[in-house]
Amino acid sequence: MDIRHTDSKTPVSPLIAKKATLNPTVDKAKWEPLTLMVDSGASDTVVSPNVIPAAKLHPSSGSDSGLEYEVANGESIPNLGEKNLMVVPHGGASCRSLRVQCAEVHRGLLSVAQCVDNGNTVIFDAGGSYIYDNATG
């Protein structure tokens, strides 16, 4: 997965996404843009429940257990469940699945820890940051 950004305040290149299906097609007319901020401190990849409305919000272990996220101002917001999306990174040709947790956030966060746990290397560099898929290169 090659998602690029220039610094921590700049969103990653947009993904296009739709609800996960068993046989996804890359018909871009049916896809929606999805912009996520790469966050080295985020425990989960989190988006608003309003993101990609066609994707159904399902209960998750986090929502079932009452998990809450601490946001920048110190307040806590509840995990509302999860969505399973198919995404195509900007400039990418292949679909990837992306499970996102949902909470009332203002902008989506892509968890570096989750990326690494899923077999990627995340590079932050002044000359250009990126996410490298260790399996496919």
Side-chain angles (χ1 to χ4, degrees), residues 16-131:
I16 56 173
K18 70 175 185 175
K19 67 179 181 177
T21 60
L22 294 177
N23 187 18
T25 58
V26 183
D27 177 0
K28 292 187 180 180
K30 296 179 182 176
W31 293 64
E32 299 178 42
L34 173 63
T35 301
L36 301 172
M37 300 294 289
V38 175
D39 189 332
S40 61
S43 58
D44 289 320
T45 297
V46 181
V47 299
S48 165
N50 300 322
V51 167
I52 315 299
K56 185 176 178 187
L57 179 63
H58 299 280
S60 67
S61 60
S63 64
D64 288 344
S65 67
L67 176 70
E68 293 188 339
Y69 299 107
E70 184 177 341
V71 294
N73 66 4
E75 293 182 18
S76 293
I77 56 174
N79 177 310
L80 302 173
E82 66 186 17
K83 291 185 177 191
N84 296 306
L85 307 176
M86 296 302 297
V87 298
V88 177
H90 182 69
S94 62
C95 294
R96 309 279 177 123
S97 64
L98 179 65
R99 180 177 297 153
V100 297
Q101 299 304 304
C102 292
E104 293 296 338
V105 294
H106 296 289
R107 62 180 175 196
L109 301 175
L110 181 67
S111 167
V112 169
Q114 188 175 358
C115 289
V116 171
D117 288 347
N118 289 324
N120 299 287
T121 299
V122 180
I123 304 294
F124 290 97
D125 184 74
S129 299
Y130 58 94
I131 299 171

